[in-house]
Amino acid sequence: LGGTTPLHAACASNKASLSSLRSILKSNPTFASTRDAFGRLPIHIFARNEAFSRISFRGSTAGPDANYPDSNNVEQFLGELFDASPRSVTLPDFEDKMIPFLSAIVEWTKIIHAYAALTQFEWRATLRQSMINPHTQISIKNIADAHLIFFIPQDVSVTPFVTWSLQMLSFLLDRCNRKRDDYYLATIRDTIIKNVSSIPLFCKSILLIDSNRDLERITSLSIIRN
């Protein structure tokens, strides 16, 4: 562990401009592959900072903002961070054991299906008291798990931070796809896809998004299409 670098500090700030982040990275590209005392790389901290997602959305949906002059450079900085340390996008954060940009998506799916998970316990209790044939091959756990799978949450919405996280993962995939014959980049691409596809109930959650506009925007992303 190399300790906190200026890039770690800038990625954690909700006031740092993207031009300053790019300048710091350019001054010392090894910062991109340096873990702090908590085992985090700069990209882990950047991916958790909602301030940067607001920069993206201000730049695309709310017009220019005097406090955020670098609204169009989020992807540019992420691309430079990736080029400085491609492997960093596949390394889990020591805290949550997830690759960058994944934690917000995981938490979103958990919240959506929290009620189903809660009532799963009620289903098991009810089934134990019911007249179940002792010779059946379908266990109480199987039925309760089926309830979790088939439960349909209502009024599902997606937060700007989750959308941004999906956009950033899509950007990284597209970056890897620039050189399809590069085996190293192919392994990075496959790792990203594997981590996203392993999120429980992820595809179901996406398809349940209530807003057609949000659903269309998200399903057009390469992280979803892959």
Side-chain angles (χ1 to χ4, degrees), residues 82 86-87 89-90 99 169-170 172-197 222-223 225-226:
F82 175 78
R87 184 167 172 263
V89 304
T90 67
I99 66 170
L169 286 169
S170 295
L172 292 170
L173 274 188
D174 294 340
R175 197 84 172 185
C176 293
N177 286 335
R178 287 183 177 183
K179 298 181 179 179
R180 287 187 173 272
D181 58 342
D182 188 314
Y183 176 77
Y184 180 54
L185 291 180
T187 58
I188 293 174
R189 174 183 177 278
D190 291 346
T191 300
I192 295 173
I193 293 174
K194 181 179 179 180
N195 275 267
V196 174
S197 62
S222 57
I223 193 64
R225 290 186 283 107
N226 282 276

PDB file of all heavy atoms in Angstrom, residues 82 86-87 89-90 99 169-170 172-197 222-223 225-226:
ATOM      1  N   PHE A  82      -7.883   4.932 -17.085  1.00  0.00           N
ATOM      2  CA  PHE A  82      -7.837   3.556 -17.591  1.00  0.00           C
ATOM      3  C   PHE A  82      -6.534   3.297 -18.345  1.00  0.00           C
ATOM      4  O   PHE A  82      -5.891   2.262 -18.152  1.00  0.00           O
ATOM      5  CB  PHE A  82      -9.035   3.313 -18.504  1.00  0.00           C
ATOM      6  CG  PHE A  82      -9.016   1.963 -19.186  1.00  0.00           C
ATOM      7  CD1 PHE A  82      -9.384   0.819 -18.501  1.00  0.00           C
ATOM      8  CD2 PHE A  82      -8.634   1.847 -20.518  1.00  0.00           C
ATOM      9  CE1 PHE A  82      -9.373  -0.430 -19.126  1.00  0.00           C
ATOM     10  CE2 PHE A  82      -8.619   0.614 -21.145  1.00  0.00           C
ATOM     11  CZ  PHE A  82      -8.991  -0.528 -20.452  1.00  0.00           C
ATOM     12  N   PRO A  86      -4.897   0.023 -16.807  1.00  0.00           N
ATOM     13  CA  PRO A  86      -6.056  -0.745 -17.294  1.00  0.00           C
ATOM     14  C   PRO A  86      -6.558  -1.785 -16.293  1.00  0.00           C
ATOM     15  O   PRO A  86      -7.764  -1.994 -16.145  1.00  0.00           O
ATOM     16  CB  PRO A  86      -5.521  -1.398 -18.573  1.00  0.00           C
ATOM     17  CG  PRO A  86      -4.393  -0.536 -19.007  1.00  0.00           C
ATOM     18  CD  PRO A  86      -3.764  -0.036 -17.749  1.00  0.00           C
ATOM     19  N   ARG A  87      -5.631  -2.427 -15.623  1.00  0.00           N
ATOM     20  CA  ARG A  87      -6.007  -3.512 -14.701  1.00  0.00           C
ATOM     21  C   ARG A  87      -6.821  -3.014 -13.511  1.00  0.00           C
ATOM     22  O   ARG A  87      -7.565  -3.788 -12.898  1.00  0.00           O
ATOM     23  CB  ARG A  87      -4.727  -4.205 -14.214  1.00  0.00           C
ATOM     24  CG  ARG A  87      -4.962  -5.420 -13.332  1.00  0.00           C
ATOM     25  CD  ARG A  87      -3.686  -6.221 -13.150  1.00  0.00           C
ATOM     26  NE  ARG A  87      -3.839  -7.283 -12.171  1.00  0.00           N
ATOM     27  CZ  ARG A  87      -3.468  -7.177 -10.904  1.00  0.00           C
ATOM     28  NH1 ARG A  87      -2.880  -6.066 -10.475  1.00  0.00           N
ATOM     29  NH2 ARG A  87      -3.642  -8.190 -10.059  1.00  0.00           N
ATOM     30  N   VAL A  89      -9.475  -1.395 -13.279  1.00  0.00           N
ATOM     31  CA  VAL A  89     -10.933  -1.504 -13.393  1.00  0.00           C
ATOM     32  C   VAL A  89     -11.433  -2.914 -13.074  1.00  0.00           C
ATOM     33  O   VAL A  89     -12.637  -3.125 -12.943  1.00  0.00           O
ATOM     34  CB  VAL A  89     -11.424  -1.074 -14.793  1.00  0.00           C
ATOM     35  CG1 VAL A  89     -10.953   0.325 -15.119  1.00  0.00           C
ATOM     36  CG2 VAL A  89     -10.978  -2.047 -15.866  1.00  0.00           C
ATOM     37  N   THR A  90     -10.519  -3.871 -12.938  1.00  0.00           N
ATOM     38  CA  THR A  90     -10.910  -5.245 -12.605  1.00  0.00           C
ATOM     39  C   THR A  90     -10.575  -5.613 -11.163  1.00  0.00           C
ATOM     40  O   THR A  90     -10.893  -6.712 -10.719  1.00  0.00           O
ATOM     41  CB  THR A  90     -10.203  -6.255 -13.533  1.00  0.00           C
ATOM     42  OG1 THR A  90      -8.786  -6.244 -13.267  1.00  0.00           O
ATOM     43  CG2 THR A  90     -10.443  -5.919 -14.992  1.00  0.00           C
ATOM     44  N   ILE A  99     -15.628  -4.457  -7.990  1.00  0.00           N
ATOM     45  CA  ILE A  99     -14.867  -3.659  -8.934  1.00  0.00           C
ATOM     46  C   ILE A  99     -15.473  -2.255  -8.992  1.00  0.00           C
ATOM     47  O   ILE A  99     -16.618  -2.049  -8.560  1.00  0.00           O
ATOM     48  CB  ILE A  99     -14.843  -4.302 -10.339  1.00  0.00           C
ATOM     49  CG1 ILE A  99     -16.252  -4.317 -10.950  1.00  0.00           C
ATOM     50  CG2 ILE A  99     -14.249  -5.691 -10.286  1.00  0.00           C
ATOM     51  CD1 ILE A  99     -16.265  -4.711 -12.414  1.00  0.00           C
ATOM     52  N   LEU A 169     -19.286   2.096 -16.826  1.00  0.00           N
ATOM     53  CA  LEU A 169     -18.903   0.723 -17.145  1.00  0.00           C
ATOM     54  C   LEU A 169     -19.005   0.473 -18.652  1.00  0.00           C
ATOM     55  O   LEU A 169     -18.164  -0.218 -19.236  1.00  0.00           O
ATOM     56  CB  LEU A 169     -19.800  -0.260 -16.392  1.00  0.00           C
ATOM     57  CG  LEU A 169     -19.521  -0.389 -14.883  1.00  0.00           C
ATOM     58  CD1 LEU A 169     -20.627  -1.173 -14.199  1.00  0.00           C
ATOM     59  CD2 LEU A 169     -18.168  -1.052 -14.632  1.00  0.00           C
ATOM     60  N   SER A 170     -20.014   1.067 -19.273  1.00  0.00           N
ATOM     61  CA  SER A 170     -20.163   0.945 -20.731  1.00  0.00           C
ATOM     62  C   SER A 170     -19.014   1.632 -21.450  1.00  0.00           C
ATOM     63  O   SER A 170     -18.491   1.110 -22.445  1.00  0.00           O
ATOM     64  CB  SER A 170     -21.497   1.555 -21.175  1.00  0.00           C
ATOM     65  OG  SER A 170     -22.587   0.838 -20.645  1.00  0.00           O
ATOM     66  N   LEU A 172     -16.001   1.977 -20.322  1.00  0.00           N
ATOM     67  CA  LEU A 172     -14.824   1.127 -20.171  1.00  0.00           C
ATOM     68  C   LEU A 172     -14.880  -0.074 -21.113  1.00  0.00           C
ATOM     69  O   LEU A 172     -13.860  -0.472 -21.688  1.00  0.00           O
ATOM     70  CB  LEU A 172     -14.707   0.664 -18.717  1.00  0.00           C
ATOM     71  CG  LEU A 172     -14.380   1.763 -17.700  1.00  0.00           C
ATOM     72  CD1 LEU A 172     -14.518   1.240 -16.278  1.00  0.00           C
ATOM     73  CD2 LEU A 172     -12.989   2.331 -17.934  1.00  0.00           C
ATOM     74  N   LEU A 173     -16.069  -0.637 -21.282  1.00  0.00           N
ATOM     75  CA  LEU A 173     -16.213  -1.740 -22.235  1.00  0.00           C
ATOM     76  C   LEU A 173     -15.875  -1.281 -23.650  1.00  0.00           C
ATOM     77  O   LEU A 173     -15.167  -1.966 -24.389  1.00  0.00           O
ATOM     78  CB  LEU A 173     -17.651  -2.272 -22.212  1.00  0.00           C
ATOM     79  CG  LEU A 173     -18.027  -3.327 -21.189  1.00  0.00           C
ATOM     80  CD1 LEU A 173     -19.433  -3.837 -21.475  1.00  0.00           C
ATOM     81  CD2 LEU A 173     -17.043  -4.469 -21.167  1.00  0.00           C
ATOM     82  N   ASP A 174     -16.403  -0.119 -24.011  1.00  0.00           N
ATOM     83  CA  ASP A 174     -16.143   0.412 -25.357  1.00  0.00           C
ATOM     84  C   ASP A 174     -14.653   0.674 -25.548  1.00  0.00           C
ATOM     85  O   ASP A 174     -14.112   0.493 -26.645  1.00  0.00           O
ATOM     86  CB  ASP A 174     -16.943   1.698 -25.576  1.00  0.00           C
ATOM     87  CG  ASP A 174     -18.445   1.457 -25.592  1.00  0.00           C
ATOM     88  OD1 ASP A 174     -18.852   0.300 -25.818  1.00  0.00           O
ATOM     89  OD2 ASP A 174     -19.203   2.423 -25.364  1.00  0.00           O
ATOM     90  N   ARG A 175     -14.009   1.100 -24.481  1.00  0.00           N
ATOM     91  CA  ARG A 175     -12.565   1.346 -24.536  1.00  0.00           C
ATOM     92  C   ARG A 175     -11.820   0.040 -24.836  1.00  0.00           C
ATOM     93  O   ARG A 175     -10.875   0.017 -25.641  1.00  0.00           O
ATOM     94  CB  ARG A 175     -12.098   1.913 -23.196  1.00  0.00           C
ATOM     95  CG  ARG A 175     -10.736   2.589 -23.213  1.00  0.00           C
ATOM     96  CD  ARG A 175     -10.870   4.022 -23.662  1.00  0.00           C
ATOM     97  NE  ARG A 175      -9.622   4.751 -23.504  1.00  0.00           N
ATOM     98  CZ  ARG A 175      -9.519   6.055 -23.742  1.00  0.00           C
ATOM     99  NH1 ARG A 175     -10.548   6.754 -24.133  1.00  0.00           N
ATOM    100  NH2 ARG A 175      -8.348   6.651 -23.600  1.00  0.00           N
ATOM    101  N   CYS A 176     -12.263  -1.026 -24.196  1.00  0.00           N
ATOM    102  CA  CYS A 176     -11.635  -2.330 -24.433  1.00  0.00           C
ATOM    103  C   CYS A 176     -11.914  -2.836 -25.844  1.00  0.00           C
ATOM    104  O   CYS A 176     -11.072  -3.513 -26.452  1.00  0.00           O
ATOM    105  CB  CYS A 176     -12.140  -3.349 -23.416  1.00  0.00           C
ATOM    106  SG  CYS A 176     -11.629  -3.041 -21.716  1.00  0.00           S
ATOM    107  N   ASN A 177     -13.087  -2.518 -26.363  1.00  0.00           N
ATOM    108  CA  ASN A 177     -13.486  -3.016 -27.682  1.00  0.00           C
ATOM    109  C   ASN A 177     -12.764  -2.335 -28.836  1.00  0.00           C
ATOM    110  O   ASN A 177     -12.881  -2.764 -29.984  1.00  0.00           O
ATOM    111  CB  ASN A 177     -14.993  -2.858 -27.872  1.00  0.00           C
ATOM    112  CG  ASN A 177     -15.779  -3.878 -27.071  1.00  0.00           C
ATOM    113  OD1 ASN A 177     -15.275  -4.953 -26.752  1.00  0.00           O
ATOM    114  ND2 ASN A 177     -17.015  -3.539 -26.731  1.00  0.00           N
ATOM    115  N   ARG A 178     -12.031  -1.276 -28.525  1.00  0.00           N
ATOM    116  CA  ARG A 178     -11.299  -0.593 -29.596  1.00  0.00           C
ATOM    117  C   ARG A 178     -10.264  -1.508 -30.235  1.00  0.00           C
ATOM    118  O   ARG A 178      -9.942  -1.372 -31.414  1.00  0.00           O
ATOM    119  CB  ARG A 178     -10.599   0.659 -29.036  1.00  0.00           C
ATOM    120  CG  ARG A 178     -11.537   1.811 -28.712  1.00  0.00           C
ATOM    121  CD  ARG A 178     -10.738   3.009 -28.236  1.00  0.00           C
ATOM    122  NE  ARG A 178     -11.586   4.163 -27.969  1.00  0.00           N
ATOM    123  CZ  ARG A 178     -11.125   5.355 -27.589  1.00  0.00           C
ATOM    124  NH1 ARG A 178      -9.796   5.518 -27.434  1.00  0.00           N
ATOM    125  NH2 ARG A 178     -11.939   6.355 -27.371  1.00  0.00           N
ATOM    126  N   LYS A 179      -9.729  -2.418 -29.413  1.00  0.00           N
ATOM    127  CA  LYS A 179      -8.726  -3.359 -29.916  1.00  0.00           C
ATOM    128  C   LYS A 179      -9.192  -4.766 -29.583  1.00  0.00           C
ATOM    129  O   LYS A 179      -8.768  -5.370 -28.607  1.00  0.00           O
ATOM    130  CB  LYS A 179      -7.361  -3.078 -29.285  1.00  0.00           C
ATOM    131  CG  LYS A 179      -6.798  -1.703 -29.606  1.00  0.00           C
ATOM    132  CD  LYS A 179      -5.438  -1.512 -28.953  1.00  0.00           C
ATOM    133  CE  LYS A 179      -4.854  -0.150 -29.277  1.00  0.00           C
ATOM    134  NZ  LYS A 179      -3.533   0.057 -28.613  1.00  0.00           N
ATOM    135  N   ARG A 180     -10.064  -5.306 -30.408  1.00  0.00           N
ATOM    136  CA  ARG A 180     -10.663  -6.603 -30.134  1.00  0.00           C
ATOM    137  C   ARG A 180      -9.650  -7.747 -30.189  1.00  0.00           C
ATOM    138  O   ARG A 180      -9.878  -8.818 -29.635  1.00  0.00           O
ATOM    139  CB  ARG A 180     -11.803  -6.874 -31.120  1.00  0.00           C
ATOM    140  CG  ARG A 180     -13.050  -6.038 -30.832  1.00  0.00           C
ATOM    141  CD  ARG A 180     -14.207  -6.442 -31.712  1.00  0.00           C
ATOM    142  NE  ARG A 180     -15.435  -5.770 -31.334  1.00  0.00           N
ATOM    143  CZ  ARG A 180     -16.282  -6.219 -30.420  1.00  0.00           C
ATOM    144  NH1 ARG A 180     -16.019  -7.353 -29.794  1.00  0.00           N
ATOM    145  NH2 ARG A 180     -17.388  -5.561 -30.141  1.00  0.00           N
ATOM    146  N   ASP A 181      -8.540  -7.518 -30.881  1.00  0.00           N
ATOM    147  CA  ASP A 181      -7.530  -8.580 -30.985  1.00  0.00           C
ATOM    148  C   ASP A 181      -6.513  -8.525 -29.850  1.00  0.00           C
ATOM    149  O   ASP A 181      -5.574  -9.319 -29.820  1.00  0.00           O
ATOM    150  CB  ASP A 181      -6.812  -8.493 -32.336  1.00  0.00           C
ATOM    151  CG  ASP A 181      -6.138  -7.141 -32.548  1.00  0.00           C
ATOM    152  OD1 ASP A 181      -6.508  -6.177 -31.838  1.00  0.00           O
ATOM    153  OD2 ASP A 181      -5.258  -7.042 -33.428  1.00  0.00           O
ATOM    154  N   ASP A 182      -6.701  -7.592 -28.913  1.00  0.00           N
ATOM    155  CA  ASP A 182      -5.801  -7.457 -27.781  1.00  0.00           C
ATOM    156  C   ASP A 182      -6.293  -8.374 -26.663  1.00  0.00           C
ATOM    157  O   ASP A 182      -7.332  -8.119 -26.047  1.00  0.00           O
ATOM    158  CB  ASP A 182      -5.753  -6.003 -27.315  1.00  0.00           C
ATOM    159  CG  ASP A 182      -4.684  -5.750 -26.263  1.00  0.00           C
ATOM    160  OD1 ASP A 182      -4.587  -6.556 -25.312  1.00  0.00           O
ATOM    161  OD2 ASP A 182      -3.956  -4.750 -26.386  1.00  0.00           O
ATOM    162  N   TYR A 183      -5.547  -9.434 -26.364  1.00  0.00           N
ATOM    163  CA  TYR A 183      -5.987 -10.425 -25.379  1.00  0.00           C
ATOM    164  C   TYR A 183      -6.103  -9.802 -23.979  1.00  0.00           C
ATOM    165  O   TYR A 183      -7.043 -10.113 -23.231  1.00  0.00           O
ATOM    166  CB  TYR A 183      -5.006 -11.599 -25.344  1.00  0.00           C
ATOM    167  CG  TYR A 183      -5.336 -12.630 -24.293  1.00  0.00           C
ATOM    168  CD1 TYR A 183      -6.370 -13.544 -24.498  1.00  0.00           C
ATOM    169  CD2 TYR A 183      -4.628 -12.672 -23.088  1.00  0.00           C
ATOM    170  CE1 TYR A 183      -6.696 -14.486 -23.524  1.00  0.00           C
ATOM    171  CE2 TYR A 183      -4.948 -13.605 -22.113  1.00  0.00           C
ATOM    172  CZ  TYR A 183      -5.977 -14.512 -22.336  1.00  0.00           C
ATOM    173  OH  TYR A 183      -6.293 -15.427 -21.365  1.00  0.00           O
ATOM    174  N   TYR A 184      -5.175  -8.929 -23.629  1.00  0.00           N
ATOM    175  CA  TYR A 184      -5.191  -8.309 -22.302  1.00  0.00           C
ATOM    176  C   TYR A 184      -6.463  -7.488 -22.108  1.00  0.00           C
ATOM    177  O   TYR A 184      -7.150  -7.611 -21.087  1.00  0.00           O
ATOM    178  CB  TYR A 184      -3.951  -7.431 -22.147  1.00  0.00           C
ATOM    179  CG  TYR A 184      -3.840  -6.734 -20.808  1.00  0.00           C
ATOM    180  CD1 TYR A 184      -3.899  -7.446 -19.615  1.00  0.00           C
ATOM    181  CD2 TYR A 184      -3.658  -5.350 -20.743  1.00  0.00           C
ATOM    182  CE1 TYR A 184      -3.789  -6.813 -18.388  1.00  0.00           C
ATOM    183  CE2 TYR A 184      -3.546  -4.703 -19.516  1.00  0.00           C
ATOM    184  CZ  TYR A 184      -3.617  -5.446 -18.352  1.00  0.00           C
ATOM    185  OH  TYR A 184      -3.507  -4.817 -17.141  1.00  0.00           O
ATOM    186  N   LEU A 185      -6.811  -6.685 -23.105  1.00  0.00           N
ATOM    187  CA  LEU A 185      -8.030  -5.887 -23.007  1.00  0.00           C
ATOM    188  C   LEU A 185      -9.275  -6.772 -23.040  1.00  0.00           C
ATOM    189  O   LEU A 185     -10.282  -6.458 -22.400  1.00  0.00           O
ATOM    190  CB  LEU A 185      -8.082  -4.864 -24.144  1.00  0.00           C
ATOM    191  CG  LEU A 185      -7.056  -3.731 -24.087  1.00  0.00           C
ATOM    192  CD1 LEU A 185      -7.228  -2.803 -25.277  1.00  0.00           C
ATOM    193  CD2 LEU A 185      -7.172  -2.940 -22.778  1.00  0.00           C
ATOM    194  N   ALA A 186      -9.198  -7.876 -23.757  1.00  0.00           N
ATOM    195  CA  ALA A 186     -10.330  -8.803 -23.823  1.00  0.00           C
ATOM    196  C   ALA A 186     -10.618  -9.414 -22.451  1.00  0.00           C
ATOM    197  O   ALA A 186     -11.784  -9.596 -22.073  1.00  0.00           O
ATOM    198  CB  ALA A 186     -10.059  -9.890 -24.847  1.00  0.00           C
ATOM    199  N   THR A 187      -9.552  -9.723 -21.701  1.00  0.00           N
ATOM    200  CA  THR A 187      -9.750 -10.292 -20.364  1.00  0.00           C
ATOM    201  C   THR A 187     -10.352  -9.254 -19.421  1.00  0.00           C
ATOM    202  O   THR A 187     -11.177  -9.593 -18.556  1.00  0.00           O
ATOM    203  CB  THR A 187      -8.425 -10.807 -19.777  1.00  0.00           C
ATOM    204  OG1 THR A 187      -7.471  -9.740 -19.708  1.00  0.00           O
ATOM    205  CG2 THR A 187      -7.863 -11.935 -20.629  1.00  0.00           C
ATOM    206  N   ILE A 188      -9.958  -7.998 -19.588  1.00  0.00           N
ATOM    207  CA  ILE A 188     -10.535  -6.917 -18.775  1.00  0.00           C
ATOM    208  C   ILE A 188     -12.018  -6.766 -19.098  1.00  0.00           C
ATOM    209  O   ILE A 188     -12.873  -6.660 -18.204  1.00  0.00           O
ATOM    210  CB  ILE A 188      -9.786  -5.596 -19.018  1.00  0.00           C
ATOM    211  CG1 ILE A 188      -8.361  -5.696 -18.474  1.00  0.00           C
ATOM    212  CG2 ILE A 188     -10.530  -4.421 -18.383  1.00  0.00           C
ATOM    213  CD1 ILE A 188      -7.495  -4.494 -18.794  1.00  0.00           C
ATOM    214  N   ARG A 189     -12.321  -6.765 -20.389  1.00  0.00           N
ATOM    215  CA  ARG A 189     -13.715  -6.655 -20.840  1.00  0.00           C
ATOM    216  C   ARG A 189     -14.552  -7.797 -20.271  1.00  0.00           C
ATOM    217  O   ARG A 189     -15.650  -7.565 -19.741  1.00  0.00           O
ATOM    218  CB  ARG A 189     -13.754  -6.681 -22.369  1.00  0.00           C
ATOM    219  CG  ARG A 189     -15.137  -6.716 -22.984  1.00  0.00           C
ATOM    220  CD  ARG A 189     -15.044  -6.808 -24.497  1.00  0.00           C
ATOM    221  NE  ARG A 189     -16.338  -6.911 -25.105  1.00  0.00           N
ATOM    222  CZ  ARG A 189     -17.031  -8.037 -25.229  1.00  0.00           C
ATOM    223  NH1 ARG A 189     -16.511  -9.166 -24.771  1.00  0.00           N
ATOM    224  NH2 ARG A 189     -18.219  -8.048 -25.806  1.00  0.00           N
ATOM    225  N   ASP A 190     -14.043  -9.009 -20.348  1.00  0.00           N
ATOM    226  CA  ASP A 190     -14.787 -10.170 -19.859  1.00  0.00           C
ATOM    227  C   ASP A 190     -14.989 -10.114 -18.348  1.00  0.00           C
ATOM    228  O   ASP A 190     -16.034 -10.547 -17.835  1.00  0.00           O
ATOM    229  CB  ASP A 190     -14.060 -11.463 -20.236  1.00  0.00           C
ATOM    230  CG  ASP A 190     -14.090 -11.741 -21.724  1.00  0.00           C
ATOM    231  OD1 ASP A 190     -14.887 -11.082 -22.439  1.00  0.00           O
ATOM    232  OD2 ASP A 190     -13.300 -12.595 -22.189  1.00  0.00           O
ATOM    233  N   THR A 191     -14.004  -9.594 -17.640  1.00  0.00           N
ATOM    234  CA  THR A 191     -14.123  -9.472 -16.178  1.00  0.00           C
ATOM    235  C   THR A 191     -15.217  -8.491 -15.800  1.00  0.00           C
ATOM    236  O   THR A 191     -16.001  -8.742 -14.875  1.00  0.00           O
ATOM    237  CB  THR A 191     -12.778  -9.022 -15.562  1.00  0.00           C
ATOM    238  OG1 THR A 191     -11.774  -9.989 -15.861  1.00  0.00           O
ATOM    239  CG2 THR A 191     -12.905  -8.866 -14.053  1.00  0.00           C
ATOM    240  N   ILE A 192     -15.281  -7.370 -16.509  1.00  0.00           N
ATOM    241  CA  ILE A 192     -16.333  -6.381 -16.244  1.00  0.00           C
ATOM    242  C   ILE A 192     -17.705  -6.992 -16.488  1.00  0.00           C
ATOM    243  O   ILE A 192     -18.617  -6.888 -15.661  1.00  0.00           O
ATOM    244  CB  ILE A 192     -16.140  -5.134 -17.129  1.00  0.00           C
ATOM    245  CG1 ILE A 192     -14.852  -4.403 -16.759  1.00  0.00           C
ATOM    246  CG2 ILE A 192     -17.342  -4.186 -16.985  1.00  0.00           C
ATOM    247  CD1 ILE A 192     -14.494  -3.263 -17.700  1.00  0.00           C
ATOM    248  N   ILE A 193     -17.873  -7.654 -17.631  1.00  0.00           N
ATOM    249  CA  ILE A 193     -19.160  -8.268 -17.978  1.00  0.00           C
ATOM    250  C   ILE A 193     -19.542  -9.337 -16.963  1.00  0.00           C
ATOM    251  O   ILE A 193     -20.697  -9.421 -16.521  1.00  0.00           O
ATOM    252  CB  ILE A 193     -19.101  -8.863 -19.397  1.00  0.00           C
ATOM    253  CG1 ILE A 193     -18.953  -7.751 -20.435  1.00  0.00           C
ATOM    254  CG2 ILE A 193     -20.340  -9.695 -19.685  1.00  0.00           C
ATOM    255  CD1 ILE A 193     -18.742  -8.241 -21.847  1.00  0.00           C
ATOM    256  N   LYS A 194     -18.582 -10.155 -16.562  1.00  0.00           N
ATOM    257  CA  LYS A 194     -18.850 -11.225 -15.598  1.00  0.00           C
ATOM    258  C   LYS A 194     -19.313 -10.661 -14.259  1.00  0.00           C
ATOM    259  O   LYS A 194     -20.253 -11.193 -13.642  1.00  0.00           O
ATOM    260  CB  LYS A 194     -17.588 -12.067 -15.391  1.00  0.00           C
ATOM    261  CG  LYS A 194     -17.768 -13.222 -14.415  1.00  0.00           C
ATOM    262  CD  LYS A 194     -16.483 -14.024 -14.279  1.00  0.00           C
ATOM    263  CE  LYS A 194     -16.657 -15.158 -13.281  1.00  0.00           C
ATOM    264  NZ  LYS A 194     -15.409 -15.954 -13.130  1.00  0.00           N
ATOM    265  N   ASN A 195     -18.680  -9.576 -13.813  1.00  0.00           N
ATOM    266  CA  ASN A 195     -19.059  -8.987 -12.526  1.00  0.00           C
ATOM    267  C   ASN A 195     -20.459  -8.378 -12.569  1.00  0.00           C
ATOM    268  O   ASN A 195     -21.229  -8.512 -11.610  1.00  0.00           O
ATOM    269  CB  ASN A 195     -18.036  -7.923 -12.119  1.00  0.00           C
ATOM    270  CG  ASN A 195     -16.844  -8.502 -11.404  1.00  0.00           C
ATOM    271  OD1 ASN A 195     -16.807  -8.577 -10.177  1.00  0.00           O
ATOM    272  ND2 ASN A 195     -15.849  -8.926 -12.166  1.00  0.00           N
ATOM    273  N   VAL A 196     -20.784  -7.722 -13.657  1.00  0.00           N
ATOM    274  CA  VAL A 196     -22.121  -7.117 -13.773  1.00  0.00           C
ATOM    275  C   VAL A 196     -23.192  -8.195 -13.913  1.00  0.00           C
ATOM    276  O   VAL A 196     -24.238  -8.141 -13.255  1.00  0.00           O
ATOM    277  CB  VAL A 196     -22.184  -6.152 -14.979  1.00  0.00           C
ATOM    278  CG1 VAL A 196     -23.613  -5.643 -15.187  1.00  0.00           C
ATOM    279  CG2 VAL A 196     -21.247  -4.973 -14.757  1.00  0.00           C
ATOM    280  N   SER A 197     -22.931  -9.200 -14.726  1.00  0.00           N
ATOM    281  CA  SER A 197     -23.926 -10.253 -14.949  1.00  0.00           C
ATOM    282  C   SER A 197     -24.146 -11.122 -13.717  1.00  0.00           C
ATOM    283  O   SER A 197     -25.164 -11.808 -13.613  1.00  0.00           O
ATOM    284  CB  SER A 197     -23.508 -11.133 -16.137  1.00  0.00           C
ATOM    285  OG  SER A 197     -22.275 -11.782 -15.882  1.00  0.00           O
ATOM    286  N   SER A 222     -23.785  -0.327 -23.753  1.00  0.00           N
ATOM    287  CA  SER A 222     -23.055  -1.545 -24.130  1.00  0.00           C
ATOM    288  C   SER A 222     -22.951  -2.537 -22.990  1.00  0.00           C
ATOM    289  O   SER A 222     -22.889  -3.751 -23.226  1.00  0.00           O
ATOM    290  CB  SER A 222     -21.653  -1.179 -24.649  1.00  0.00           C
ATOM    291  OG  SER A 222     -20.941  -0.440 -23.681  1.00  0.00           O
ATOM    292  N   ILE A 223     -22.965  -2.071 -21.752  1.00  0.00           N
ATOM    293  CA  ILE A 223     -22.892  -2.987 -20.607  1.00  0.00           C
ATOM    294  C   ILE A 223     -24.134  -3.864 -20.542  1.00  0.00           C
ATOM    295  O   ILE A 223     -24.109  -4.989 -20.036  1.00  0.00           O
ATOM    296  CB  ILE A 223     -22.684  -2.226 -19.282  1.00  0.00           C
ATOM    297  CG1 ILE A 223     -22.300  -3.188 -18.161  1.00  0.00           C
ATOM    298  CG2 ILE A 223     -23.921  -1.423 -18.914  1.00  0.00           C
ATOM    299  CD1 ILE A 223     -21.000  -3.879 -18.347  1.00  0.00           C
ATOM    300  N   ARG A 225     -26.145  -4.453 -23.467  1.00  0.00           N
ATOM    301  CA  ARG A 225     -26.222  -5.175 -24.746  1.00  0.00           C
ATOM    302  C   ARG A 225     -25.226  -6.341 -24.811  1.00  0.00           C
ATOM    303  O   ARG A 225     -25.425  -7.296 -25.554  1.00  0.00           O
ATOM    304  CB  ARG A 225     -25.971  -4.219 -25.907  1.00  0.00           C
ATOM    305  CG  ARG A 225     -27.112  -3.230 -26.106  1.00  0.00           C
ATOM    306  CD  ARG A 225     -26.936  -2.382 -27.355  1.00  0.00           C
ATOM    307  NE  ARG A 225     -25.946  -1.316 -27.154  1.00  0.00           N
ATOM    308  CZ  ARG A 225     -24.743  -1.323 -27.676  1.00  0.00           C
ATOM    309  NH1 ARG A 225     -24.333  -2.349 -28.399  1.00  0.00           N
ATOM    310  NH2 ARG A 225     -23.911  -0.309 -27.467  1.00  0.00           N
ATOM    311  N   ASN A 226     -24.153  -6.264 -24.019  1.00  0.00           N
ATOM    312  CA  ASN A 226     -23.165  -7.337 -24.007  1.00  0.00           C
ATOM    313  C   ASN A 226     -23.557  -8.443 -23.039  1.00  0.00           C
ATOM    314  O   ASN A 226     -22.908  -9.460 -23.007  1.00  0.00           O
ATOM    315  CB  ASN A 226     -21.787  -6.794 -23.642  1.00  0.00           C
ATOM    316  CG  ASN A 226     -21.116  -6.097 -24.816  1.00  0.00           C
ATOM    317  OD1 ASN A 226     -20.503  -6.739 -25.636  1.00  0.00           O
ATOM    318  ND2 ASN A 226     -21.258  -4.787 -24.914  1.00  0.00           N
TER     319      ASN A 226
END
